[in-house]
Amino acid sequence: MDDVTRVAETLLDAYESQLRALVPLELPWGAVVERDGPLVRTHYGTHATVHHAALRDDLAGLIRRQQELFAARCEPVEWKVYSHDAPLLGESLRAAGFVPGPERTLLMADIAKVPSPEDLPPGMRIRPHLPGERERLRRRAAVVPEQRRPLSELEADGTAPRDRIGDGDPAAGV
């Protein structure tokens, strides 16, 4: 095994054990996060995503359990798959009836070998994570309206805005 392969494997192991399936400190308003073994499910009210750490045990059972959970909630789900998860995870998800989305690729680099801004070609730039960026994103998220809910749910709990929905009269356009 050469040094580059060894470094790549070390970085991938660190990513898998320290970052993947990490619950973010900041979530969008209304998002709910649940852990299920190596999985992290994030429910947004309209859909959900599944992230995970390394999957080693009973993959078929884990997938089946998620299908049952999301079916009970009538909630569409996106299961994040990275190229280094393939082919086992992708094949298992397809066999369970999931439709494959785009495979994600994890890019890693030795920070010492990343070009400095002065070495970049004209027109390219490196955008650093600025200290105020997190607060700016938080303020922007605070003005996002409540997530959409089905009309039947709004009517059932009495919060349907009658002036915007109409009174069921065909002349009202509803």
Side-chain angles (χ1 to χ4, degrees):
M1 180 184 317
D2 64 10
D3 287 342
V4 173
T5 304
R6 192 177 345 271
V7 168
E9 286 183 0
T10 300
L11 290 172
L12 184 58
D13 287 344
Y15 170 75
E16 287 288 335
S17 65
Q18 297 174 25
L19 295 176
R20 197 154 183 202
L22 182 70
V23 176
L25 294 175
E26 297 178 22
L27 292 166
W29 183 83
V32 176
V33 175
E34 299 173 326
R35 280 201 173 277
D36 184 352
L39 301 181
V40 173
R41 292 186 300 259
T42 306
H43 304 275
Y44 296 97
T46 56
H47 68 287
T49 58
V50 175
H51 293 272
H52 58 86
L55 300 172
R56 294 184 178 91
D57 302 326
D58 188 22
L59 189 53
L62 187 64
I63 291 170
R64 190 173 37 260
R65 192 165 66 237
Q66 303 318 302
Q67 282 181 302
E68 291 167 0
L69 180 130
F70 289 112
R73 294 176 67 123
C74 298
E75 187 174 38
V77 60
E78 179 183 11
W79 194 308
K80 306 288 186 172
V81 178
Y82 288 83
S83 58
H84 66 274
D85 294 327
L88 182 60
L89 178 58
E91 289 171 4
S92 297
L93 288 169
R94 274 189 287 284
F98 280 90
V99 176
E103 214 172 70
R104 288 153 177 81
T105 301
L106 178 63
L107 301 175
M108 299 181 285
D110 181 344
I111 196 70
K113 295 180 180 178
V114 173
S116 69
E118 297 82 32
D119 298 335
L120 293 173
M124 294 188 74
R125 67 187 176 99
I126 295 176
R127 185 174 154 227
H129 176 74
L130 302 173
E133 186 80 1
R134 182 172 281 181
E135 182 57 34
R136 185 186 68 77
L137 291 172
R138 183 180 298 127
R139 280 193 313 271
R140 193 170 89 194
V143 299
V144 174
E146 179 181 351
Q147 294 186 12
R148 297 180 188 270
R149 294 171 48 204
L151 176 58
S152 59
E153 187 178 309
L154 294 171
E155 289 174 335
D157 69 10
T159 59
R162 301 305 312 166
D163 61 319
R164 296 175 77 189
I165 294 174
D167 58 3
D169 177 12
V174 178

